[in-house]
Amino acid sequence: MSDLHHALEPPTDGAAAVGRARAQRLLVTLLGDYWRAGHAPLPSGGLVAVLTEFDIAPANARATLSRLTQRGVLERTKEGRRTSYRLTESAAQILQRGGRRIFASTDESSWDGRWTLIAFTLPLDDANQRRLLRARLRWLTFSPLYDGTWVTPHDRFDEVREQLSELGVSDAVVLRATDLDLLPGGRARLEAAWRIDELAAGYQSFLERYRDLVRPAAAGEVSPAQALVRRTEMVNDWRALVGEDPDLPEMFLPASFPRAQARAMFLETSAALARPAQQRFEELVQTPDHAADGAKSRLK
């Protein structure tokens, strides 16, 4: 299972680059959540209107559509003067796989004592492939022991082989074993890679950021426009957290680790907001292309 978001705008300093990355991630999240496989392509004006809900200017929204098309995430179709977009088949499959982990109802805390280990080597001059492989290994809950040796306490044998095949990586070994002896230096290295304190702080911050949304969401007091924005932001933030989380068995975690509490809040609140958010998304994507610039003020 790979996280499509890692294939978007590379990490870059500067407000403009941060804005581009945010717009791309938001649109991918929106399409992953609200666009149903098999639906007709969505008009460009509607997608621009959706992004304006998040204070993204129409010109920047159109540039986002162009960038995602260039990156192979979207495909463009044209019928007369109408331009539409849809997820490519590969992007839709990646989002579907990712969604299963994002919306999983439980973590993988039960453990049979077996590890999955991958050792690989990549050409030194292929920085993009190296970045993509590392991002996908993180998403699969692997953590680095050494530069080309990663390990996870979960059964990822088939999934990691699938990712290696997709990326064209053939110089690799994948093992499943119970006898993994971590000497003191190796254990310290792995614990540092797990970054448990940082993860705990991230989950705690998530709880604090969205705590005020729990009651009104459960009571049905959030408007469709607010539901779309807050739910999408919540899913985006949750995806970032689970993408960095090796989903460690409980025996490796402190008793106070707040992941279970954060997961319960996320699942309950995102479910409560799903219907009004879907309603708002479907309303917005009907916006004609020539009317997209004024869609936000007119539809609210």
Side-chain angles (χ1 to χ4, degrees):
M1 191 185 328
S2 58
D3 186 358
L4 182 62
H5 288 62
H6 289 294
L8 305 182
E9 191 77 14
T12 310
D13 292 332
V18 170
R20 289 195 299 269
R22 174 177 178 266
Q24 291 176 41
R25 283 166 171 75
L26 282 172
L27 185 55
V28 168
T29 295
L30 287 157
L31 292 174
D33 271 358
Y34 307 113
W35 181 83
R36 299 292 177 251
H39 279 193
L42 299 174
S44 60
L47 293 174
V48 169
V50 169
L51 286 175
T52 63
E53 294 284 276
F54 298 85
D55 296 321
I56 295 170
N60 293 337
R62 295 185 190 282
T64 297
L65 294 174
S66 178
R67 290 190 185 96
L68 290 178
T69 302
Q70 293 170 4
R71 292 175 182 271
V73 177
L74 299 179
E75 58 185 16
R76 181 171 53 196
T77 59
K78 203 167 181 65
E79 185 176 344
R81 300 181 62 183
R82 173 173 168 154
T83 301
S84 300
Y85 293 85
R86 68 186 303 159
L87 288 166
T88 61
E89 183 177 350
S90 61
Q93 290 175 352
I94 289 171
L95 284 172
Q96 186 177 33
R97 291 200 304 263
R100 287 196 289 269
R101 183 176 174 207
I102 293 165
F103 292 99
S105 59
T106 59
D107 59 33
E108 300 186 54
S109 57
S110 60
W111 189 43
D112 62 2
R114 301 179 72 193
W115 301 78
T116 306
L117 184 142
I118 176 174
F120 62 90
T121 184
L122 296 174
L124 293 176
D125 59 350
D126 198 339
N128 186 57
Q129 187 184 49
R130 188 177 298 275
R131 179 178 66 84
L132 282 175
L133 179 57
R134 288 173 172 172
R136 294 187 182 195
L137 289 175
R138 284 279 186 194
W139 184 251
L140 288 173
T141 69
F142 281 87
S143 298
L145 269 174
Y146 304 96
D147 184 48
T149 305
W150 292 55
V151 66
T152 176
H154 301 297
D155 184 357
R156 298 288 188 255
F157 190 83
D158 292 333
E159 291 168 290
V160 76
R161 290 176 67 224
E162 178 183 357
Q163 293 300 323
L164 292 171
S165 177
E166 285 186 12
L167 292 174
V169 178
S170 59
D171 194 353
V173 175
V174 183
L175 302 172
R176 284 280 287 156
T178 54
D179 297 330
L180 180 65
D181 187 8
L182 293 171
L183 299 180
R187 176 66 183 239
R189 183 184 293 271
L190 188 54
E191 289 178 346
W194 284 338
R195 299 177 293 184
I196 292 175
D197 289 345
E198 292 180 29
L199 286 170
Y203 283 118
Q204 190 60 46
S205 177
F206 181 89
L207 284 165
E208 292 169 2
R209 179 175 183 184
Y210 293 105
R211 186 170 283 125
D212 68 323
L213 190 58
V214 174
R215 190 203 60 78
E221 298 172 356
V222 181
S223 71
Q226 290 175 319
L228 179 63
V229 172
R230 294 302 304 277
R231 185 179 187 275
T232 302
E233 290 174 341
M234 172 182 268
V235 171
N236 240 1
D237 287 349
W238 185 252
R239 175 183 281 108
L241 280 171
V242 299
E244 293 298 320
D245 188 347
D247 223 358
L248 297 172
E250 290 180 356
M251 64 178 294
F252 294 111
L253 296 171
S256 60
F257 196 69
R259 180 175 61 199
Q261 183 183 359
R263 187 189 301 275
M265 187 183 80
F266 167 73
L267 292 173
E268 292 169 9
T269 305
S270 63
L273 296 176
R275 181 176 292 182
Q278 183 74 41
Q279 175 188 334
R280 180 60 169 170
F281 178 83
E282 293 180 0
E283 180 183 19
L284 287 166
V285 294
Q286 301 306 314
T287 305
D289 188 66
H290 66 274
D293 289 5
K296 184 174 182 180
S297 60
R298 192 170 58 256
L299 286 170
K300 277 192 173 179

